[in-house]
Amino acid sequence: MEDNPLWYRDAVFYEVPVKSFYDSTGDGFGDFNGLRLKLPYLHDLGVDCLWLLPFYKSPMKDDGYDISDFYTIQPDYGTMDDFKAFIKDAHDLGIRVIADLVLNHVSDQNAWFIEAKKSRNSPKRDWFVWSDTDQKYKDARIIFIDTELSNWTWEPTSKQYYWHRFYSHQPDLNYDNPEVREEIKNVIRYWLSIGLDGFRCDAVPYLYEREGTSCENLPETHAYFKEIRKMINEEFPGCILLAEANQWPTDAKEYFGNGDEFHMAFNFPLMPRMFISLAKENGYPIVNIINQTLDIPENCDWCIFLRNHDELTLEMVTDDERDTMYQEYAKLPKMRLNLGIRRRLAPLVDNDRATLELLNALIFSLPGSPIIYYGDEIGMGDNIYLGDRNGVRTPMQWSHDRNAGFSMVDSEQLYSPVITNPNYNYESINVESELRLNSSLLNWMKKMLRVRKNYSKLLGRGKIRFIEQKNRRVLVYVREFEDQRMLCIYNLSRRPTYVELNLPEFKGLKPLEAITKAPFPRIGDLPYFFTLSPRSFFWLNLTVPDQDDERDFDD
């Protein structure tokens, strides 16, 4: 692997659940051997790092986020030898691997909790948070408002309530207990020593509880993650921590510390505002939120994304913005969950190709490292009639063969049905078909990732400067890194439009369209004029022309 301590700033990430990608054993579940067999596809796509959803032993009431044993692989996914072979092959292809680490809670079937609830005198009792009343910590919000009425659940054996910020079958760990803090460090050491390159840390704001607070973003939480970061820096240099902190910008930025806490954090504030900008045909929501999320330590970065395995969360937007999102992207109540929208990317935008391209171009060119959700590179659909968030977690569509080429079992044995909706049917929306079609979304994504790799330092680490102009439907910014400059222009509306740009600081430079290398006229004293088709964009590499290059239109 390349020795680049800031590799994550230049990387393209790919989120993949092991069970959803490829079944090599014929039991209806994807597995590590299947994921290993598909690594060449991911390498060819242009992926630098995989993010694996939880693969630890679990009763699977919450798709693996309810862990019953942190040190054991879920049997459906294979063996430890399968896992090690997968890691080795990924590294041989230059692909790093990070995995979900669920720190906040465990399954109620975890041995720690089973022991803790036996008696109030149990040695593991203080590994969890207990109370004789359910009236403590009343200022903490309920996160899963569609299913949970309280953050406390009664435990009849020892006759006390236990605390949980998520489902009632997921008791929270007590991080005031030094034994818990040390045990989680041991879990981290265990998996990094086997070969993982880091962790996406789940639900990080909620580790501690304090009366009179929201029980989120507490100083104790930040202090503990700084301990973990120090341990990783010393024992596993080159490995990273990625924070899932769904918070307003000020609180989200705090998880970088002074460059001594998380290496990366998801840019939750930005994600919904890209969709809001499209709905309103106005670049202001993006400009405003980017300006609020800038100025982070040089050794840190945002992860930017359009969709993932959860609902498109709308907790950290205003009521008006949430209404806009529901009206535009989730007209049916069935499409909504908690305070969010449970849809994949393609159905969110009515499978409009221009919009899909524009949104992906945004996350490939805005500050941060982009994350692609498995299947979104081929435009997979969803199934809103499956329970909870399972509608966006269906089997990867590899071919038009039975079960979308995911598995050879009888279809009723699959962990989830494949997508058969006529607009997104696996017989047409699949990897094999799209690889054969030059104009497919998959081949477009491969091309764009190659282009991004050519400008990885510029787009991964460069500064951003928004260019003011009069057309609110057009978003314009410049990315700058050392002597590289790229002008990015986006038409956010469904109509053709134009934009006039005053670019005196770039006078004499020659724009080259970054994807095709097509030349544009040199920038001069007069305003530079662009016409844009609906939901279209330009990436223009601003270059110094050769002295004898006067052939702007000859190529």
Side-chain angles (χ1 to χ4, degrees):
M1 300 288 285
E2 180 187 359
D3 185 19
N4 174 9
L6 295 178
W7 63 266
Y8 49 93
R9 296 204 63 190
D10 309 324
V12 173
F13 289 73
Y14 187 92
E15 179 189 358
V16 56
V18 177
K19 77 170 186 180
S20 303
F21 214 54
Y22 185 63
D23 171 19
S24 71
T25 59
D27 63 357
F29 286 84
D31 46 64
F32 276 113
N33 189 50
L35 188 53
R36 181 178 63 83
L37 292 173
K38 294 298 185 181
L39 283 170
Y41 163 78
L42 295 168
H43 180 260
D44 186 52
L45 178 62
V47 170
D48 301 298
C49 182
L50 301 182
W51 157 29
L52 304 181
L53 269 61
F55 54 79
Y56 321 97
K57 191 173 182 182
S58 165
M60 301 299 285
K61 290 184 180 179
D62 185 22
D63 213 18
Y65 284 88
D66 48 330
I67 297 172
S68 57
D69 186 347
F70 281 94
Y71 298 97
T72 303
I73 288 174
Q74 178 72 359
D76 292 326
Y77 301 163
T79 66
M80 183 61 76
D81 286 342
D82 294 336
F83 175 78
K84 291 178 179 177
F86 156 71
I87 291 289
K88 179 185 182 302
D89 283 10
H91 286 170
D92 287 348
L93 287 171
I95 299 175
R96 290 178 167 88
V97 183
I98 66 172
D100 252 308
L101 181 66
V102 186
L103 303 101
N104 181 70
H105 51 264
V106 300
S107 165
D108 59 5
Q109 297 181 36
N110 189 294
W112 304 341
F113 187 70
I114 291 172
E115 176 64 30
K117 71 179 184 178
K118 285 181 179 177
S119 161
R120 297 192 185 191
N121 298 318
S122 166
K124 289 286 193 290
R125 186 70 175 183
D126 196 42
W127 281 42
F128 299 89
V129 181
W130 301 91
S131 174
D132 292 323
T133 171
D134 61 357
Q135 297 303 303
K136 292 179 69 175
Y137 312 134
K138 296 292 287 184
D139 294 325
R141 64 193 171 104
I142 296 172
I143 294 170
F144 289 162
I145 59 172
D146 284 1
T147 54
E148 301 297 327
L149 301 177
S150 170
N151 288 322
W152 293 101
T153 290
W154 179 252
E155 199 290 300
T157 303
S158 56
K159 294 183 172 54
Q160 275 189 314
Y161 294 92
Y162 63 86
W163 178 253
H164 56 89
R165 289 307 300 270
F166 293 90
Y167 292 116
S168 59
H169 59 77
Q170 294 169 325
D172 277 25
L173 290 165
N174 176 19
Y175 278 88
D176 282 315
N177 186 334
E179 292 180 4
V180 170
R181 297 197 297 271
E182 192 57 33
E183 182 63 23
I184 294 301
K185 287 182 182 178
N186 289 336
V187 170
I188 292 171
R189 290 185 178 105
Y190 179 77
W191 290 106
L192 294 185
S193 66
I194 289 175
L196 280 181
D197 298 290
F199 292 99
R200 176 264 195 189
C201 298
D202 181 66
V204 300
Y206 315 111
L207 298 195
Y208 286 82
E209 303 79 31
R210 293 293 181 267
E211 200 64 69
T213 75
S214 66
C215 297
E216 299 180 23
N217 309 312
L218 296 178
E220 295 88 343
T221 298
H222 290 287
Y224 180 59
F225 281 118
K226 288 182 180 182
E227 285 182 32
I228 293 177
R229 171 66 179 271
K230 184 173 185 291
M231 178 193 80
I232 287 179
N233 285 350
E234 293 172 354
E235 300 179 27
F236 303 97
C239 293
I240 67 165
L241 294 171
L242 165 59
E244 188 216 20
N246 183 11
Q247 302 288 319
W248 292 98
T250 302
D251 292 325
K253 287 167 65 174
E254 290 296 316
Y255 285 93
F256 295 122
N258 294 313
D260 59 351
E261 199 167 333
F262 281 90
H263 301 78
M264 307 188 82
F266 288 112
N267 200 331
F268 278 100
L270 170 64
M271 181 270 297
R273 287 169 179 86
M274 289 185 281
F275 292 98
I276 291 167
S277 281
L278 288 184
K280 294 185 173 181
E281 299 188 349
N282 189 332
Y284 176 77
I286 294 175
V287 175
N288 181 48
I289 210 71
I290 288 287
N291 286 333
Q292 292 183 54
T293 56
L294 289 179
D295 299 325
I296 60 175
E298 278 295 316
N299 63 335
C300 298
D301 214 343
W302 293 108
C303 267
I304 50 180
F305 64 105
L306 297 168
R307 287 300 297 111
N308 61 24
H309 62 289
D310 287 331
E311 66 270 31
L312 193 165
T313 178
L314 299 175
E315 290 177 297
M316 300 302 157
V317 299
T318 66
D319 290 343
D320 286 344
E321 288 173 330
R322 189 176 301 117
D323 289 343
T324 296
M325 289 292 290
Y326 283 151
Q327 290 165 13
E328 183 72 18
Y329 302 108
K331 295 179 175 65
L332 301 178
K334 197 80 174 173
M335 298 174 179
R336 305 171 189 176
L337 182 70
N338 299 313
L339 287 178
I341 301 171
R342 54 191 195 115
R343 305 227 69 186
R344 266 191 179 269
L345 179 60
L348 270 175
V349 299
D350 286 334
N351 210 20
D352 181 73
R353 176 65 180 270
T355 304
L356 287 171
E357 291 185 2
L358 183 141
L359 283 167
N360 278 293
L362 276 172
I363 67 165
F364 294 160
S365 63
L366 285 169
S369 298
I371 295 185
I372 301 166
Y373 185 48
Y374 87 100
D376 279 354
E377 74 272 20
I378 61 172
M380 268 179 64
D382 55 36
N383 184 349
I384 61 173
Y385 298 98
L386 296 176
D388 195 18
R389 294 164 285 188
N390 296 325
V392 301
R393 303 176 183 182
T394 57
M396 179 67 176
Q397 295 168 194
W398 292 104
S399 72
H400 66 276
D401 294 334
R402 70 175 181 182
N403 302 325
F406 165 77
S407 173
M408 293 301 293
V409 296
D410 293 336
S411 58
E412 58 265 29
Q413 292 178 259
L414 295 175
Y415 78 88
S416 168
V418 296
I419 299 298
T420 56
N421 179 293
N423 292 312
Y424 304 95
N425 193 296
Y426 71 85
E427 292 187 352
S428 56
I429 306 295
N430 64 69
V431 171
E432 183 182 272
S433 297
E434 295 198 25
L435 284 175
R436 292 195 302 223
L437 193 64
N438 286 336
S439 61
S440 69
L441 178 63
L442 175 58
N443 279 319
W444 181 87
M445 290 283 283
K446 288 172 61 177
K447 176 175 64 179
M448 290 298 291
L449 290 178
R450 286 196 297 270
V451 172
R452 191 185 191 281
K453 202 169 289 277
N454 291 337
Y455 299 97
S456 59
K457 294 286 196 299
L458 170 64
L459 297 176
R461 308 189 197 185
K463 303 294 184 185
I464 187 171
R465 182 158 50 91
F466 292 101
I467 304 295
E468 291 188 12
Q469 43 79 30
K470 295 178 181 179
N471 189 344
R472 63 179 178 82
R473 297 185 180 91
V474 179
L475 175 69
V476 186
Y477 51 85
V478 175
R479 300 299 309 276
E480 298 171 298
F481 181 77
E482 296 177 348
D483 61 347
Q484 293 181 290
R485 297 162 296 271
M486 184 179 287
L487 178 66
C488 301
I489 306 168
Y490 295 87
N491 177 10
L492 303 174
S493 79
R494 295 184 176 91
R495 292 172 285 173
T497 192
Y498 68 93
V499 64
E500 289 186 60
L501 302 179
N502 291 304
L503 304 169
E505 69 269 41
F506 302 125
K507 181 180 176 181
L509 296 183
K510 184 183 184 73
L512 288 178
E513 204 276 326
I515 301 166
T516 63
K517 306 297 185 186
F520 278 57
R522 295 187 197 186
I523 299 170
D525 294 313
L526 297 176
Y528 211 99
F529 189 91
F530 290 93
T531 56
L532 299 117
S533 56
R535 296 276 164 90
S536 65
F537 69 95
F538 285 115
W539 286 1
L540 298 166
N541 186 26
L542 303 182
T543 64
V544 178
D546 295 334
Q547 287 185 352
D548 61 346
D549 185 5
E550 298 294 339
R551 298 171 292 110
D552 285 335
F553 298 105
D554 289 349
D555 295 338

